[in-house]
Amino acid sequence: MEQFLLKLLIFLAAAAIAVPLARKFKLGSVLGYLIAGIVIGPFGLSLIDNIGEVMHFTEFGVVMMLFLVGLELKPTLLWQMRIPIIGMGGIQVLLTSAAIGLAGLYYLPWQQAVAIGLILALSSTAIVLQTLREKGLMNTPPGQSVFSVLWFQDLAVIPMLALLPLLATTVVHADTHHGAAFFDIAALPVYLRVLAVLLAIGSIYIIGRYASRPIFRSIAATRVREVFVAAALALVIGISLLMTTVGLSPALGTFIAGVVLADSEYRHELESDIEPFKGLLLGIFFISIGASLNLTLITEQFWLIGGLVVALILIKCVLLLATAKIFNMPGTERWLFALALAQGGEFAFVLFQLARINGVLPQSLAETLISTVAISMFLAPLLFVLHDCCLLYTSPSPRDMIPD
């Protein structure tokens, strides 16, 4: 208990110190979390050990994020934004996955190239949206375009979670998998495993569609806010356990539940109750990412990882500019659109770990790519600063605007 409280104190204190400093220098809070993780991690002050155990806990923040994404996915809103979401988002993911995948075919088997292309096509929802909000750009045309692409990317994570295990290139021993919550579903015949998965997904739909309303209605009648918060957390945790039991990703189950509850009259209450926990767990998740960043590996493979970072940003920038041109975005907005989405995303850490666990990628390659994504995320706030500087430099001065 004392060790847990000590670790929690270190994480929270690091966040409380680093995030305000990062925001003061206009670098964004996510970069502050990452820097804090490096400082307290094994390659810094060594205040935190066993990072893998911490990340396994804080990945629940990603699960909550997908639940909230599902809650926002109302069919009417999706139809209104169908062109930018499906069009811009789909073209960006398709072009980026194809370009990176084709480049990877020169060095890797096609299964690994496909997996890497799909994962690196994602951008950081947490960094980009938070930076856009801080700069007051969310409701601008380029901000809405960026949001549409990020929304499609978040949705694309769901089929990626299902596809990655099918791309396995090596046989994984049973002890490398995470254990099921109550029993080992791998011991069942194939038809029973399929039936268990279908029953789990069906039960999520039935609970979310029919059982949740009377349950939340009775809880709301008590007018005790804490009970509603507990029920919301119990819903997310219960679905996560159910999906883990049948061998699926918890994020997939919570996303389905969020979509089912999107039309519920209690959607806003669920969002407001889950949001603080999601933000805190995501913050600690980013700190653990910074702490797990293998600086020894980066030093040993400096030129390789540095080259991959530059290539990733350049490839995504070029393809994003092409996407913006296809949809006739004004020239002044294209660069913000491209620079905002040029980094890797936080879901890459989860997907690369999933790819490693399922035998899609070897551990050495996964660690190299995780370091590449982490560094690109470090550079993401600096790309916004670069855009602001270029915009300031190219904008006409007040003297230039005075007519002769």
Side-chain angles (χ1 to χ4, degrees):
M1 184 64 178
E2 291 180 359
Q3 290 296 321
F4 172 77
L5 292 176
L6 179 60
K7 287 184 179 180
L8 183 61
L9 173 63
I10 293 171
F11 271 92
L12 296 178
I17 295 172
V19 172
L21 288 175
R23 296 191 66 175
K24 182 179 180 180
F25 292 101
K26 302 185 183 303
L27 298 178
S29 58
V30 176
L31 186 56
Y33 286 126
L34 293 170
I35 294 173
I38 292 177
V39 172
I40 67 175
F43 299 97
L45 300 177
S46 298
L47 299 178
I48 295 293
D49 55 0
N50 201 358
I51 298 300
E53 182 179 311
V54 176
M55 286 191 70
H56 184 66
F57 168 73
T58 56
E59 282 175 6
F60 194 60
V62 180
V63 172
M64 288 187 171
M65 176 184 282
L66 272 180
F67 179 68
L68 293 177
V69 169
L71 281 176
E72 294 173 358
L73 190 60
K74 298 185 69 173
T76 54
L77 181 60
L78 180 62
W79 179 253
Q80 292 173 2
M81 300 181 65
R82 63 190 183 279
I83 294 177
I85 292 175
I86 300 175
M88 298 181 76
I91 288 177
Q92 182 273 326
V93 171
L94 181 63
L95 290 178
T96 308
S97 300
I100 296 176
L102 288 173
L105 282 176
Y106 286 99
Y107 309 99
L108 302 168
W110 70 267
Q111 297 94 331
Q112 295 181 1
V114 169
I116 293 170
L118 290 171
I119 296 173
L120 293 183
L122 304 175
S123 305
S124 175
T125 301
I127 290 178
V128 175
L129 291 187
Q130 189 155 343
T131 305
L132 289 177
R133 289 192 186 102
E134 291 173 356
K135 294 181 176 294
L137 297 172
M138 268 300 299
N139 294 322
T140 62
Q144 289 296 300
S145 298
V146 169
F147 175 73
S148 299
V149 173
L150 289 172
W151 200 356
F152 183 89
Q153 290 180 359
D154 289 341
L155 296 177
V157 171
I158 306 302
M160 288 182 193
L161 289 169
L163 177 63
L164 281 178
L166 304 178
L167 296 174
T169 56
T170 59
V171 178
V172 182
H173 297 291
D175 58 358
T176 61
H177 288 282
H178 294 298
F182 302 107
F183 64 90
D184 186 8
I185 193 173
L188 298 176
V190 175
Y191 72 94
L192 286 181
R193 277 183 276 172
V194 173
L195 180 61
V197 170
L198 294 177
L199 287 174
I201 295 175
S203 64
I204 291 173
Y205 177 81
I206 293 172
I207 292 172
R209 185 73 175 177
Y210 302 105
S212 64
R213 283 181 170 84
I215 292 174
F216 284 123
R217 191 178 297 118
S218 62
I219 293 173
T222 65
R223 299 184 182 277
V224 180
R225 180 65 182 272
E226 293 80 3
V227 178
F228 199 95
V229 174
L233 290 175
L235 175 67
V236 177
I237 294 172
I239 292 172
S240 300
L241 282 174
L242 176 62
M243 298 303 279
T244 303
T245 300
V246 298
L248 294 180
S249 166
L252 176 61
T254 52
F255 174 79
I256 295 172
V259 173
V260 173
L261 292 169
D263 289 324
S264 170
E265 61 268 30
Y266 299 104
R267 178 172 70 93
H268 297 295
E269 287 82 355
L270 288 169
E271 286 180 332
S272 61
D273 289 340
I274 295 294
E275 183 70 35
F277 295 96
K278 185 266 295 184
L280 178 61
L281 286 173
L282 270 182
I284 299 177
F285 177 63
F286 285 125
I287 292 177
S288 63
I289 289 171
S292 63
L293 197 61
N294 193 336
L295 297 184
T296 302
L297 176 67
I298 294 173
T299 303
E300 293 174 350
Q301 302 182 3
F302 178 80
W303 294 110
L304 172 61
I305 294 176
L308 290 174
V309 172
V310 173
L312 174 64
I313 292 175
L314 287 178
I315 290 173
K316 296 189 78 170
C317 264
V318 170
L319 296 177
L320 285 162
L321 287 172
T323 303
K325 187 173 183 179
I326 292 173
F327 286 86
N328 297 318
M329 289 182 63
T332 55
E333 298 177 359
R334 293 177 189 173
W335 281 105
L336 175 60
F337 177 75
L339 292 174
L341 297 168
Q343 76 294 128
E346 56 270 0
F347 282 121
F349 299 108
V350 179
L351 292 172
F352 276 133
Q353 293 293 349
L354 180 66
R356 181 187 61 80
I357 291 171
N358 285 277
V360 182
L361 298 175
Q363 182 169 348
S364 58
L365 179 57
E367 288 183 354
T368 299
L369 294 172
I370 286 173
S371 299
T372 301
V373 171
I375 294 174
S376 74
M377 291 173 66
F378 268 95
L379 297 177
L382 300 180
L383 294 178
F384 277 99
V385 174
L386 175 64
H387 173 267
D388 294 341
C389 292
C390 293
L391 188 64
L392 181 64
Y393 179 77
T394 56
S395 298
S397 65
R399 180 178 298 177
D400 296 332
M401 298 176 65
I402 298 175
D404 295 334

